[in-house]
Amino acid sequence: MRAEDTSLVTRTKTEQATGRTAGRAHVVLPAFNEEASLPPLLRRLSDVALAEQLTVWVVDDGSADNTAAAAEAGFGELDVRIVRHLVNLGLGRAVLSGLRAALEVAGPDDIVVVMDADDTHDPGLIRLLWNEIAAGSDVAICSRFVPGGDDRTAPLGRRLLSRGAAQLFHRALAVEGVRDFTSGYRAYRASLLARASAHWGERLIEEQGFACMVELLLKLRHCRPVITEVPLALRYDRKQGPSKLKLRRTIAQYLKLLARDRLSPAPYRKL
């Protein structure tokens, strides 16, 4: 991490010497005031079939509670590493810091998973995401809008926003294989992220709020990835604290992102 990122990386539990590894899943958890949600989520992550092949990156985005302490405590033998923002920089910057930290040690055959730290996402789906990447996908999305997906536990306003945004981006943008544009639970082939990061650098994610997930997807589409989706049953009933999503602000961010994407030229060279 560079000094200007106001972030620090520390290592806990079973981490080995830094180096490139193969066939691992790097799980990025952007976390802001998630001290209550992290312990049960880390326990669930330690229970997945791939636990010994997971590296968990908790990005403490300037939390005012004991999020960092909860991450440091880890769970069992789970390999947990912490990226610290000294101040709150927003979801987009937290995701970017987590991706960059993971890519520093990820091998070309690894995958990078981004999921919410509020325990609303089922870690058991990591196996399905892994299988999708192994079968040839470059991006695998946990989708609420494919058969088997379910978002009924989420508040009505959030559900309407997600569905409205999905329809908007589906009609306005040509991204094959995507129904759930705003899902925060995805897996990426590490080599794909490395290519995109080499091109965009610090501009890979510029949005600070929830629109960052759509922005990353729109930039990755210039790499012509194969994208597939697996069903996601959202467990909003497990959420410990209030939602951090602000409806009006997020709608404005989505519209601004769409306008910027329409006006921005495609990359000047093949990615």
Side-chain angles (χ1 to χ4, degrees), residues 197-209:
S197 181
H199 178 80
W200 275 285
E202 294 293 319
R203 295 179 53 248
L204 181 61
I205 298 178
E206 298 173 280
E207 292 289 338
Q208 295 183 359

Side-chain angles (χ1 to χ4, degrees), residues 3-191:
E4 61 265 31
D5 292 334
T6 63
S7 59
L8 304 171
V9 179
T10 59
R11 299 180 170 90
T12 62
K13 295 294 181 183
T14 60
E15 180 189 357
Q16 303 299 317
T18 299
R20 285 190 169 272
T21 58
R24 293 191 67 80
H26 298 265
V27 181
V28 175
L29 302 177
F32 178 61
N33 294 340
E34 296 289 0
E35 66 169 309
S37 299
L38 271 177
L41 175 57
L42 294 178
R43 175 178 58 80
R44 295 182 209 280
L45 283 165
S46 73
D47 288 340
V48 304
L50 296 166
E52 71 282 357
Q53 296 170 270
L54 298 183
T55 298
V56 179
W57 301 85
V58 178
V59 184
D60 177 20
D61 189 26
S63 297
D65 64 0
N66 293 316
T67 292
E72 287 173 350
F75 191 89
E77 298 302 310
L78 189 65
D79 182 3
V80 180
R81 312 185 190 191
I82 306 169
V83 180
R84 283 192 174 93
H85 287 175
L86 304 182
V87 296
N88 181 247
L89 299 178
L91 178 61
R93 197 66 187 179
V95 172
L96 181 61
S97 291
L99 294 181
R100 289 177 56 195
L103 288 176
E104 285 182 2
V105 300
D109 296 326
D110 291 358
I111 69 171
V112 180
V113 178
V114 178
M115 62 188 297
D116 290 352
D118 61 4
D119 200 27
T120 60
H121 292 160
D122 178 10
L125 294 178
I126 292 175
R127 165 60 78 178
L128 296 182
L129 296 173
W130 184 298
N131 291 343
E132 291 294 316
I133 302 295
S137 296
D138 299 299
V139 181
I141 299 173
C142 290
S143 173
R144 296 157 289 184
F145 308 138
V146 296
D150 187 1
D151 65 347
R152 285 176 292 180
T153 59
L156 179 60
R158 190 177 184 123
R159 293 172 62 192
L160 292 175
L161 175 63
S162 299
R163 292 170 184 274
Q167 289 296 320
L168 173 66
F169 288 113
H170 179 72
R171 292 175 182 275
L173 304 167
V175 185
E176 186 176 351
V178 180
R179 297 188 189 182
D180 196 339
F181 281 84
T182 61
S183 172
Y185 194 178
R186 303 177 188 163
Y188 308 90
R189 191 181 299 275
S191 57

